[in-house]
Amino acid sequence: MDTRTEPMVSFDGAASRRMLARLRDVMAGSGSGQERLDKIVTLIRAEMRADVCSCYVMRAGEVLELFATEGLNKTAVHNTRLRVGEGIVGDIAAHARAIALDNAPSHPSFAYRPETGEDPFLSLAGVPILRGGKVRGVLVIQHKERHRYTEEVVEVLQTIAMVVAELVAAGELVNPQEVAATGDPVLLPTRLSGAALNPGLAMGLAVIHRPQLTIRQMVAEDAGTELERLNQALASMHDAIDKLLAATALAGLGEPRDILETYRMFAEDRGWLSRIREAIRKGLTAEGAVQQVQDDTRARMSHMTDPYIREKLLDFEDLTNRLLQHLSGRGQDGAGALPEDTILVARSMGPAELLDYDRHRLRAVILEDGSPSSHVSIVARALNIPVVQATEALSRIEPLDPLIVDGDHGAVYVRPAEDIQMTFSESVALRAMKEQVYAETRGLPSVTRDGVPISIVLNCGLLFDLAHLHASGSEGIGLYRTEIPFMVRSSYPDVQAQTELYARILDEAADKPVVFRTLDVGGDKVLPYISAGAEEENPALGWRAIRIGLDHPSLLRQQLRALLRAAAGRPLSVMFPMIAEVAELDAARRLLELELTRLRAHGVEEPSRLRVGVMLEVPSLLWQLPALLPRVDFVSVGSNDLGQYIFASDRGNPRTAHRYDPLSPAMLTLLKRLVEACGEARVPLSICGEMAGKPLDAMALIGLGFRTLSMSPPSVGPVKTMLRSLDVAALRQYMDGLYQRGDHSVRIKLRAFAQDHGVVI
């Protein structure tokens, strides 16, 4: 028995950093792709003290070609080829996994190629060169003596392979069309987890949104000619945007239309245009000037985290790309030939860019940088297009990759396996069947199987949401988020603009009730015209909602004035958010009384009935219920914030967002006591957080005693279907045994009840 210990090949952090720095220099240096690859293998061999370093690159037809080596026979370069799966190198490519061997010739996949002269080399470590989830080649080191490679060595090779992948993917070694013509041989299915910005399911082929043009001439010969070219391009761009607005299906749908109108005004921004013209006068071409101004704007604004400012930067980047397209004489070519089922993949997009694509072919959108309140998300929502935000989308997805987008759960399946596709098809079919059931349920009464009436109302924040009010069969609007129209404007809307908006909402609602929540900004919803001072460490616990309104009473008074004027003889319900103590409610009510007095003094018609309520989100208010309830006409639970404050768990932190379950004994006991207190005081109680829109959670809420549930429009059908199959008396009796348990969650037990009692969830 041979008890000798093989030498260990290791690599420390300092050596790794030094080598990567030298690799960057090689990548940034001059020379052809082949010359830089030759330098890279020479560098790796020297730094890792290997006897051999070789790089194999994928060619068409599932072939790996030796493209560079230091240590093997140079005559083998471009002559030695291995099919995927052939030899150790082919095995690495076939399975997209690293291999480290102290005795390579003994490996069952070993394939001897005499032309390489690799006879003397015993040990081998190799890693796949991956780009976008696809194998682009294989990187290998070899030693003459028997060596054992540490995990650190393999990890360093994998890091180096990422750098080499950039060189391979750039098309300097192999023409990309060569591989594309026969199909990339090694396609790795992968799943990207992200954030759901707009619900829905879609399947299609990836189309990469790349609006940026390459500018080939920066220095102008004649400034006057360039200024004239700029003016012509601006006129052409303005005309195209006007046609886009006139043709869009968003006409008359409120905020999406407002967003595009605001975008149109950006295109005429004097400051932006004057800086471009000044750059032309200094000697740049029109294209160079447009790009320089955008680079300066990006440098000044890119470090800012304010969502509103970042959204404006996206709008200006969209305009820059659009103007460059018109300067080139090509206009916007985003709406070129598209697959029948297109999944658009982009780092970010402006709202108008989305509308450049054929909406009849567009099935979903994947963004690397996006949020539910971003302009492109709002426009996509109006078009009923699923949107998912996934940070690695562009590095993991290649053009025309098959994709499945799950907008309900924020997941993207790239090059999905056959079983995933079958599961998806079944999900789509099941979803269609459920939608049919929900559609048939819309017109039926919201009454449980044992005759308990449940009021279903909507959460809204945009005018186009009102289109669902009557179609969904809901009884009204339980929460109208007034802040969203404020967030898409560059300045605070005056009283007249607000009055017109609120009046239109009441007109659209007709005889159905609407509860307006006053401005709930701060935290992750920042307005550019309200300075928050220094960045807050805990924005969810910071200066937001009613705290801003009371610190800036003029802003809150203007909003209350607009709401009172808009009602004009109609019922009005106003709800104050983030109330932490009764004193804050009293202060807000005093401002409301001042505006009522002002209204009467001006002889303006008052609301026929004024109801004032609070959104219960802050736990401290639960200990002031005896003082609170006589002062309000209704209470609405904001379960999202209440849950994060109860559990001290940031719902924006992926590590804690799902750590605690709202269907825990603690949360259910708290809500039960609130139901009892409001019942004794005869104060109407509703809930408008995410719990209300999930069938199982909504079932538990009904069991607790909630009789008004406010939810997003897509949730109405599933929740109404659930409650019509529910026996409340049996549920309440079952839940009596759950409150005192020490379980993390009683979700499984509630699901078992639903299954045992035929409740559709």
Side-chain angles (χ1 to χ4, degrees), residues 220-238:
E221 297 180 0
D222 179 69
T225 300
E226 296 303 311
L227 287 169
E228 179 58 30
R229 290 183 62 234
L230 175 67
N231 291 335
Q232 291 176 359
L234 284 169
S236 173
M237 182 179 75
H238 292 159

Side-chain angles (χ1 to χ4, degrees), residues 430-431 433-435 437-438 441 449 663 691-702 715-727 731 734 746-761:
L430 182 60
R431 187 186 185 98
M433 291 173 60
K434 286 184 176 180
E435 289 294 337
V437 172
Y438 300 154
T441 306
R449 199 168 64 190
L663 296 186
M691 287 182 72
K694 299 177 179 178
L696 185 65
D697 296 47
M699 183 188 81
L701 292 171
I702 293 171
S715 298
V716 174
V719 171
K720 184 182 282 191
T721 301
M722 176 277 298
L723 70 88
R724 287 182 55 82
S725 64
L726 175 65
D727 186 317
L731 175 62
Y734 179 79
V746 296
R747 183 173 297 275
I748 294 176
K749 292 180 174 60
L750 287 169
R751 189 177 298 278
F753 171 88
Q755 292 173 347
D756 292 343
H757 291 76
V759 181
V760 181
I761 56 173

Side-chain angles (χ1 to χ4, degrees), residues 97-232:
R97 66 185 179 194
I99 287 180
L101 304 169
D102 60 2
N103 188 353
S106 67
H107 191 276
S109 294
F110 180 77
Y112 176 60
R113 289 300 179 91
E115 73 274 11
T116 64
E118 62 180 347
D119 312 55
F121 306 110
L122 190 62
S123 304
L124 177 151
V127 297
I129 298 171
L130 298 169
R131 174 65 187 270
K134 300 178 180 180
V135 176
R136 303 292 190 178
V138 175
L139 185 65
V140 173
I141 60 171
Q142 292 173 269
H143 286 81
K144 290 182 180 179
E145 303 297 329
R146 190 165 185 164
H147 285 278
R148 185 160 56 89
Y149 298 98
T150 64
E151 290 183 6
E152 288 78 13
V153 168
V154 175
E155 289 175 0
V156 168
L157 279 175
Q158 289 172 328
T159 303
I160 296 169
M162 292 172 60
V163 177
V164 177
E166 296 300 315
L167 183 62
V168 176
E172 298 182 59
L173 300 173
V174 176
N175 188 334
Q177 294 181 353
E178 174 190 320
V179 177
T182 58
D184 209 324
V186 184
L187 307 179
L188 304 177
T190 188
R191 181 184 187 275
L192 305 181
S193 296
L197 305 186
N198 196 34
L201 299 173
M203 177 186 283
L205 300 179
V207 171
I208 309 299
H209 175 68
R210 291 194 179 103
Q212 189 70 49
L213 287 178
T214 300
I215 300 174
R216 303 191 182 279
Q217 185 175 349
M218 295 290 290
V219 181
E221 297 180 0
D222 179 69
T225 300
E226 296 303 311
L227 287 169
E228 179 58 30
R229 290 183 62 234
L230 175 67
N231 291 335
Q232 291 176 359

Side-chain angles (χ1 to χ4, degrees), residues 9 68 160 239 316 384 392 397 405 410 459 523 525 531 561 636:
V9 179
I160 296 169
D239 182 60
F316 276 113
N384 198 30
E392 297 182 341
I397 298 172
V405 176
N459 296 336
K525 294 179 286 189
S531 175
R561 188 182 311 159
S636 185

Side-chain angles (χ1 to χ4, degrees), residues 327-567:
L327 280 167
S328 72
R330 290 162 52 186
Q332 283 299 108
D333 57 3
L338 296 175
E340 185 65 32
D341 298 304
T342 293
I343 307 290
L344 199 59
V345 185
R347 183 185 67 80
S348 59
M349 295 185 74
E353 285 181 295
L354 179 65
L355 296 175
D356 287 324
Y357 291 87
D358 185 347
R359 293 189 296 280
H360 300 294
R361 294 173 179 261
L362 191 56
R363 301 292 177 256
V365 176
I366 303 169
L367 302 172
E368 285 197 337
D369 185 6
S371 69
S373 59
S374 67
H375 294 173
V376 68
S377 297
I378 291 172
V379 173
R381 198 172 303 128
L383 297 173
N384 198 30
I385 296 173
V387 183
V388 169
Q389 181 264 326
T391 53
E392 297 182 341
L394 289 175
S395 64
R396 305 290 293 277
I397 298 172
E398 294 292 321
L400 300 182
D401 270 346
L403 301 175
I404 290 175
V405 176
D406 183 352
D408 296 336
H409 302 97
V412 177
Y413 297 88
V414 185
R415 300 175 291 277
E418 187 175 348
D419 58 337
I420 298 293
Q421 294 186 44
M422 290 178 61
T423 301
F424 172 81
S425 299
E426 291 170 359
S427 297
V428 170
L430 182 60
R431 187 186 185 98
M433 291 173 60
K434 286 184 176 180
E435 289 294 337
Q436 181 62 34
V437 172
Y438 300 154
E440 295 170 355
T441 306
R442 284 187 189 129
L444 300 176
S446 297
V447 179
T448 66
R449 199 168 64 190
D450 55 344
V452 178
I454 305 295
S455 178
I456 292 183
V457 290
L458 297 184
N459 296 336
C460 297
L462 296 165
L463 279 171
F464 71 76
D465 287 335
L466 297 176
H468 301 286
L469 179 57
H470 303 287
S472 66
S474 58
E475 298 177 24
I477 298 174
L479 168 64
Y480 196 93
R481 303 180 179 95
T482 60
E483 63 272 6
I484 295 180
F486 288 73
M487 294 172 67
V488 299
R489 294 174 180 264
S490 58
S491 61
Y492 190 87
D494 59 24
V495 173
Q496 182 60 33
Q498 291 187 60
T499 301
E500 292 174 358
L501 172 63
Y502 304 143
R504 183 173 176 185
I505 293 166
L506 291 169
D507 290 342
E508 293 284 340
D511 58 342
K512 295 190 175 184
V514 180
V515 175
F516 290 95
R517 182 179 68 186
T518 61
L519 202 58
D520 185 3
V521 293
D524 61 346
K525 294 179 286 189
V526 181
L527 302 184
Y529 38 85
I530 297 180
S531 175
E535 186 174 332
E536 297 180 298
E537 290 187 10
N538 297 297
L541 303 177
W543 196 57
R544 51 176 293 204
I546 197 64
R547 298 168 183 177
I548 294 177
L550 295 179
D551 287 351
H552 286 282
S554 61
L555 297 180
L556 182 54
R557 286 190 63 177
Q558 287 182 40
Q559 184 176 32
L560 294 172
R561 188 182 311 159
L563 286 166
L564 292 168
R565 288 184 175 184

Side-chain angles (χ1 to χ4, degrees), residues 256-402:
R257 176 78 185 186
D258 293 343
I259 287 170
L260 293 172
E261 293 287 2
T262 304
Y263 177 90
R264 175 65 167 83
M265 289 189 289
F266 286 160
E268 298 176 340
D269 182 83
R270 293 183 179 180
W272 180 58
L273 294 175
S274 65
R275 293 200 303 275
I276 294 173
R277 292 189 172 105
E278 181 61 25
I280 291 175
R281 294 187 184 99
K282 290 180 179 179
L284 293 181
T285 61
E287 291 90 343
V290 170
Q291 189 59 58
Q292 184 192 69
V293 169
Q294 181 58 22
D295 290 343
D296 291 343
T297 303
R298 187 184 296 116
R300 286 186 291 107
M301 298 173 65
S302 60
H303 68 284
M304 300 182 183
T305 58
D306 185 309
Y308 185 86
I309 293 177
R310 290 182 64 83
E311 195 62 41
K312 290 295 173 283
L313 179 59
L314 288 179
D315 286 341
F316 276 113
E317 287 187 346
D318 182 354
L319 281 171
T320 295
N321 295 327
R322 190 172 295 269
L323 184 51
L324 288 173
Q325 294 278 2
H326 283 274
L327 280 167
S328 72
R330 290 162 52 186
Q332 283 299 108
D333 57 3
L338 296 175
E340 185 65 32
D341 298 304
T342 293
I343 307 290
L344 199 59
V345 185
R347 183 185 67 80
S348 59
M349 295 185 74
E353 285 181 295
L354 179 65
L355 296 175
D356 287 324
Y357 291 87
D358 185 347
R359 293 189 296 280
H360 300 294
R361 294 173 179 261
L362 191 56
R363 301 292 177 256
V365 176
I366 303 169
L367 302 172
E368 285 197 337
D369 185 6
S371 69
S373 59
S374 67
H375 294 173
V376 68
S377 297
I378 291 172
V379 173
R381 198 172 303 128
L383 297 173
N384 198 30
I385 296 173
V387 183
V388 169
Q389 181 264 326
T391 53
E392 297 182 341
L394 289 175
S395 64
R396 305 290 293 277
I397 298 172
E398 294 292 321
L400 300 182
D401 270 346

